[in-house]
Amino acid sequence: MIWMARVLAGPVLWAVLFSAVYALHGAGCHLGWTDRPLGFTDLHHGAMWAAWIGGLLLHAALVVWMPTGQGRARWIIVAGTWIGLVSSAFTLFPVIVTSTCF
């Protein structure tokens, strides 16, 4: 059972991060965060960037510390962690960069 949790850790973290970024997008649009400056950007984009970067750091930690075992069992865990990392980077970057509220 622990092995399956290790295999699914990367994709589950992707799902959580995906939900969090889209939730921040919806909340930021609804609450008017685009009108609140935050450094070089606004609160809306800053919150999404912070969640995304934090999630990528967690993914990187999984890639480094999660794999255990030997042979095929280890390879599948490594693949799962990399799948989660690449999926989070690839699917959420366009949302954060091109995010607009209508």
Side-chain angles (χ1 to χ4, degrees), residues 6-11 59 62 74-85:
R6 289 180 180 271
V7 170
L8 294 175
H59 275 295
L62 284 180
R74 179 181 172 83
W75 184 87
I76 293 171
I77 293 170
V78 169
T81 59
W82 277 103
I83 287 168
L85 174 64

Side-chain angles (χ1 to χ4, degrees), residues 13 19 24 31 71 85:
L13 180 55
S19 299
L24 285 170
L31 298 173
L85 174 64

Side-chain angles (χ1 to χ4, degrees), residues 24 33-34 36-54 96 99:
L24 285 170
W33 289 356
T34 55
R36 297 185 184 158
L38 179 69
F40 63 90
T41 187
D42 54 52
L43 180 60
H44 184 230
H45 287 92
M48 290 190 300
W49 275 96
W52 185 62
I53 291 171
I96 294 168
S99 175

